[in-house]
Amino acid sequence: MSKLARTSRQIGTIIQRTRKQRGWTQAQLAERAGLRQETISIIESGEKPSKLPSILAVLAALDLEFTIGPRAKGTASDIEELF
């Protein structure tokens, strides 16, 4: 199932949920992505800017992909309901 994310916090939430569904710790995901655990924490929180290559490495480690498409016409509350 596709998940819609428009903010860094929403991307982080998707990453965190997927990691937890797999039963992985942040350290395990970091090892698989070739990053530090602290970087995973920053990405999942979405509070600080993260480098795109780091986000892509995490997505690859989780077997997820980044897709770009036209912005859907929906309200902010429609998107928030996904999270």
Side-chain angles (χ1 to χ4, degrees), residues 11 14-15 29 33 54-66:
I11 292 169
I14 291 168
I15 288 170
L29 176 54
S54 297
I55 294 169
L56 293 175
V58 170
L59 293 175
L62 291 168
D63 200 28
L64 298 174
E65 63 184 13
F66 184 66

Side-chain angles (χ1 to χ4, degrees), residues 38-59:
E38 293 83 4
T39 303
I40 302 301
S41 178
I42 289 168
I43 291 171
E44 287 185 355
S45 74
E47 293 179 10
K48 294 182 182 177
S50 299
K51 294 181 181 179
L52 185 58
S54 297
I55 294 169
L56 293 175
V58 170
L59 293 175

Side-chain angles (χ1 to χ4, degrees), residues 1-2 7 23 29 39 63 69 74 78 82:
M1 176 169 79
S2 295
T7 67
L29 176 54
T39 303
D63 200 28
D78 293 337
L82 296 173

Side-chain angles (χ1 to χ4, degrees), residues 2 5 14 19 21-25 31 35 39 42 52:
S2 295
I14 291 168
R19 173 182 61 78
Q21 286 172 351
R22 297 192 182 183
W24 295 354
T25 64
E31 184 177 332
L35 301 168
T39 303
I42 289 168
L52 185 58

Side-chain angles (χ1 to χ4, degrees), residues 67-80:
T67 303
I68 298 174
R71 191 175 272 263
K73 304 294 184 209
T75 65
S77 63
D78 293 337
I79 294 167
E80 290 301 321

